[in-house]
Amino acid sequence: MNRTLLYLSLLILAFSSCKNTKKSGQTLLPHVIGGMNDVVVIMSKNNWEGFAGDTIRKTLLQQVPAIPQDERLFDLVWMPHEALDQGIKKQRNIIVTKIGPDYKPNVQIRRSLWAQSQIVVQVMAPTPEAFAEVLAENADKIISQIQQ
């Protein structure tokens, strides 16, 4: 009798300690991969090799101030939009760019969108020139969010 009561108590305790994520509206996210200063830039090849890519490299490949050796703020990896799959979505820091006539200049920063402790920055603009402008206006905010 005591054994049955013990097993029943353990069973009740085990089930009551589990969270029901569907009820609370939470979902379980995978852990991030990649280093703290690694940034994956999702951008079309034409834009990466052109003015917009030059702008993002100039912004994010700045030298770290106050250290004696050359050290960049971030390590950038370029990927085309087609490569944005489940593996890439687990990266720690992702910048997704959308440049085209359908987009208004805008920057959105989201935390833990596809993985825990992740930063996803979406930069949208109608032209590469507008992209450079919106990136320059938000550069400090983007850099500080990635460095947190």
Side-chain angles (χ1 to χ4, degrees):
M1 178 70 174
N2 285 341
R3 268 193 166 164
T4 307
L5 187 58
L6 176 67
Y7 289 133
L8 185 59
S9 298
L10 288 174
L11 189 64
I12 290 171
L13 180 65
F15 281 114
S16 66
S17 67
C18 296
K19 280 186 178 179
N20 184 349
T21 58
K22 295 216 185 249
K23 224 182 222 183
S24 65
Q26 299 173 339
T27 58
L28 299 176
L29 295 173
H31 294 285
V32 293
I33 58 174
M36 295 291 289
N37 293 330
D38 293 342
V39 178
V40 176
V41 179
I42 306 296
M43 181 181 268
S44 72
K45 185 176 182 179
N46 288 341
N47 284 321
W48 179 251
E49 293 174 349
F51 183 67
D54 291 342
T55 303
I56 206 160
R57 284 188 293 277
K58 180 181 171 190
T59 303
L60 298 179
L61 292 178
Q62 300 173 39
Q63 296 292 326
V64 176
I67 62 170
Q69 72 271 13
D70 287 345
E71 184 73 31
R72 305 266 185 204
L73 281 177
F74 303 107
D75 295 322
L76 297 184
V77 175
W78 166 77
M79 297 272 181
H81 289 279
E82 300 81 40
L84 188 59
D85 62 9
Q86 291 305 94
I88 299 300
K89 287 181 177 181
K90 292 179 186 174
Q91 290 293 320
R92 180 178 306 276
N93 304 307
I94 303 173
I95 297 177
V96 180
T97 64
K98 295 185 177 183
I99 302 172
D102 295 337
Y103 301 106
K104 295 180 181 172
N106 190 20
V107 171
Q108 294 178 349
I109 300 174
R110 297 182 183 167
R111 291 196 161 276
S112 302
L113 180 63
W114 297 308
Q116 294 176 24
S117 305
Q118 178 186 59
I119 298 292
V120 178
V121 179
Q122 187 172 49
V123 184
M124 297 171 279
T127 64
E129 293 76 18
F131 174 84
E133 192 174 309
V134 75
L135 186 66
E137 290 170 0
N138 294 278
D140 291 339
K141 181 169 68 171
I142 292 169
I143 289 169
S144 70
Q145 288 294 312
I146 292 173
Q147 289 178 329
Q148 285 184 353

